Amino acid sequence: MADPKGFLTHDRELPARRPVDVRIRDWREVYEDFPAPKLTKQAARCMDCGIPFCHNGCPLGNLIPEWNDLVYRHDWREAIERLHATNNFPEFTGRLCPAPCEAACVLGINSDPVAIKRVEVEIIDHAFTEGWVTPQPPTNRTGKKVAVVGSGPAGLAAAQQLTRAGHDVVVFERADAIGGLLRYGIPEFKMEKRHIDRRLDQMRAEGTEFRTSVNVGVDITAAQLREEFDAVVLSGGATAWRDLPVAGRDLKGVYQAMEYLPPANKDFEDSPINARGKHVVVIGGGDTGADCIGTAIRQGAASVTQLEIMPQPPAGRPGSQPWPTFPILFKMESAHEELSDGDGDRVYAVSTTEFTGDAEGNVRALRLVEVEGPQTGFKPIPGTEREIPAELVTLSMGFLGPEKGALLQDLGVEYDARGNVARDKTYMTNVDGVFVAGDMGRGQSLIVWAIAEGRAAASGVDRFLTGETALPYPILPTARPLV
């Protein structure tokens, strides 16, 4: 235990965000540096519980009390070893994960939880600075070839594990750069892409091959893939987005979030879908909606309004979502802070009924109505209809599962009741030698679940190819978050 009285003597503290009027002028990450003495105090708050529920909150099984203690003792070298023992990419999770580990922290029962994410990201950033994150090429090669389709966190985790196990791994990505939504879905102000690039440098040095601009199923057929490789890992994500079938949906200026964010991530200053000078409406209150808000503000939007059909969540944990579950709470992300500081608003318990356009077919306004809660099926409240200006609309309403295109059709994989690719306990589909990991098999989920599934699927692939495996198997495919 780092400090037996740490949780009594130190309050939870996080790094300050850069001033709103400064950070919206650039695309750099929003947080300022966190002084080492403050980080030591945060690590000292970890109580080293008899039953550390943070382990249960995190599907990766991160050894949180161990590396908190090591940071408190300034043993950074051992801290990164313990962190990497369960997580291939802590620089991603430490920036992007909503931290179910913190929701499950025992200290959080009656106080503020340990700042686990901040300690995690400081460990990995320190390790990169010191040059401790080096390639780990395999000592022996198996001669087996594995194709990984999709380069998001699940695919990258599976690829790194399998490469280190001695297999020849090729990662296919249909975009022009590796990273999946890490690169083209997550804005730069949440995670600068240099963090992806330096990890890819390590993976290339270990022997992983990357092929971009390849639409598997079209540019290379399923049959060709099966003929060239001994095993296939499907990790293409749950990219079939939920649409909004209302009048005016086909007007110009109404986009899915994943049509809007990727070009903005490619060209910060001059994206072809640009909010500059426009009244922007973001439909959807989740993290993707917040990403659209921050992007539109940096592009110079005249105003930004976020709409959410659900009621505003409570500020504190409700009785229906007891510890150690992950509660749905009112959050003030950096983008929301920027929204509140400017010309914008967050509107809850409303439903869009229609988009209206001008003579040229461009969207100009959005009509909405207030609704009752989900228990009534979001019943409209008469007399609450109104219209707001909308010259650019992004739909950030979640995803319905994987795209059921040529690749999945030609492979002949089966689906579960929710429309995701079905798999057994080894993560193998009904097609021998074809595995699935991440959102493609689980449905839309968190980055920690994707990495955990990539690691577990790699274990299944390794055993399939060699008859045994020493790779970790962190979660069953049927595992679910604490509820």
Side-chain angles (χ1 to χ4, degrees):
M1 188 175 188
D3 179 353
K5 296 183 179 180
F7 68 98
L8 296 172
T9 55
H10 306 305
D11 294 328
R12 175 181 168 96
E13 186 177 3
L14 297 174
R17 293 167 178 162
R18 294 189 290 131
V20 170
D21 61 343
V22 173
R23 70 181 190 242
I24 63 173
R25 299 175 187 174
D26 61 47
W27 294 84
R28 295 188 294 111
E29 291 181 13
V30 302
Y31 288 101
E32 296 179 348
D33 292 338
F34 200 50
K38 289 189 175 184
L39 184 72
T40 301
K41 291 180 180 179
Q42 292 309 300
R45 296 185 72 239
C46 181
M47 300 185 295
D48 194 16
C49 314
I51 300 177
F53 274 80
C54 54
H55 289 190
N56 298 80
C58 177
L60 284 165
N62 282 334
L63 306 171
I64 296 164
E66 293 187 29
W67 38 260
N68 275 325
D69 179 72
L70 290 164
V71 167
Y72 175 77
R73 302 177 190 283
H74 304 291
D75 190 348
W76 292 92
R77 189 64 182 263
E78 185 60 26
I80 188 57
E81 293 298 322
R82 303 312 293 148
L83 183 52
H84 269 149
T86 57
N87 187 352
N88 297 68
F89 313 120
E91 66 273 29
F92 304 161
T93 55
R95 287 176 167 84
L96 304 176
C97 181
C101 56
E102 294 186 9
C105 174
V106 174
L107 185 56
I109 295 175
N110 59 1
S111 182
D112 292 327
V114 175
I116 297 170
K117 271 182 60 173
R118 177 45 46 183
V119 178
E120 176 183 17
V121 80
E122 294 289 346
I123 292 172
I124 182 59
D125 285 355
H126 188 83
F128 268 111
T129 299
E130 295 295 327
W132 297 336
V133 184
T134 57
Q136 299 179 34
T139 54
N140 298 296
R141 292 285 184 180
T142 65
K144 301 292 186 179
K145 298 182 65 177
V146 182
V148 175
V149 182
S151 67
L156 292 179
Q160 186 167 63
Q161 294 292 97
L162 290 167
T163 297
R164 290 176 175 179
H167 307 301
D168 297 323
V169 180
V170 179
V171 178
F172 293 91
E173 170 57 54
R174 65 182 176 183
D176 61 358
I178 294 295
L181 294 187
L182 290 172
R183 183 174 297 278
Y184 288 143
I186 302 297
E188 190 83 355
F189 56 82
K190 285 180 69 173
M191 186 180 74
E192 295 174 11
K193 301 308 176 285
R194 61 188 176 86
H195 299 299
I196 304 174
D197 294 335
R198 66 185 181 184
R199 185 62 76 170
L200 295 179
D201 288 342
Q202 180 202 35
M203 293 181 66
R204 289 188 181 95
E206 291 172 348
T208 302
E209 179 185 347
F210 297 102
R211 300 181 191 177
T212 58
S213 301
V214 179
N215 188 356
V216 179
V218 178
D219 299 323
I220 175 173
T221 67
Q224 291 172 322
L225 197 71
R226 298 280 284 142
E227 182 178 356
E228 182 178 350
F229 295 92
D230 300 294
V232 176
V233 179
L234 303 174
S235 53
T239 52
W241 50 58
R242 180 178 283 108
D243 214 328
L244 184 61
V246 299
R249 168 63 181 88
D250 57 347
L251 288 169
K252 289 180 287 185
V254 182
Y255 298 97
Q256 287 286 346
M258 285 305 128
E259 294 175 312
Y260 172 62
L261 291 172
N265 273 315
K266 291 183 179 182
D267 189 341
F268 300 150
E269 303 303 326
D270 196 23
S271 171
I273 306 176
N274 206 295
R276 187 177 299 113
K278 296 179 180 178
H279 296 291
V280 177
V281 177
V282 176
I283 300 178
D287 289 340
T288 303
D291 295 343
C292 292
I293 292 171
T295 299
I297 288 172
R298 282 162 179 75
Q299 289 178 338
S303 70
V304 182
T305 304
Q306 184 178 35
L307 307 181
E308 169 57 52
I309 196 170
M310 295 291 290
Q312 180 173 322
R317 184 189 289 275
S320 59
Q321 300 172 43
W323 176 89
T325 63
F326 186 72
I328 305 301
L329 303 176
F330 180 78
K331 296 190 297 183
M332 183 62 75
E333 302 287 1
S334 64
H336 299 140
E337 189 178 58
E338 296 156 8
L339 184 67
S340 301
D341 197 65
D343 188 3
D345 195 13
R346 300 166 76 180
V347 184
Y348 290 90
V350 295
S351 178
T352 301
T353 60
E354 182 182 1
F355 300 110
T356 62
D358 60 20
E360 285 74 42
N362 300 300
V363 66
R364 67 167 186 83
L366 177 152
R367 292 176 181 163
L368 56 82
V369 63
E370 295 178 18
V371 295
E372 298 178 7
Q375 65 276 8
T376 69
F378 301 108
K379 182 180 178 181
I381 301 174
T384 63
E385 298 86 356
R386 65 183 185 273
E387 184 175 284
I388 61 175
E391 297 167 302
L392 174 63
V393 178
T394 65
L395 306 179
S396 312
M397 304 185 301
F399 300 88
L400 301 173
E403 296 175 35
K404 298 176 176 63
L407 175 61
L408 298 185
Q409 292 175 9
D410 293 346
L411 284 173
V413 297
E414 295 177 351
Y415 302 98
D416 62 21
R418 299 176 61 213
N420 303 313
V421 179
R423 63 270 182 94
D424 63 18
K425 65 179 181 180
T426 70
Y427 287 79
M428 189 159 66
T429 69
N430 60 296
V431 182
D432 197 48
V434 177
F435 297 75
V436 62
D439 290 2
M440 186 171 270
R442 171 169 293 272
Q444 182 183 355
S445 190
L446 305 179
I447 183 172
V448 281
W449 286 92
I451 295 174
E453 286 216 355
R455 289 168 64 86
S459 173
V461 173
D462 190 38
R463 186 179 297 278
F464 171 78
L465 294 175
T466 66
E468 59 182 7
T469 185
L471 294 179
Y473 181 84
I475 56 168
L476 287 163
T478 53
R480 291 294 180 266
L482 295 171
V483 294

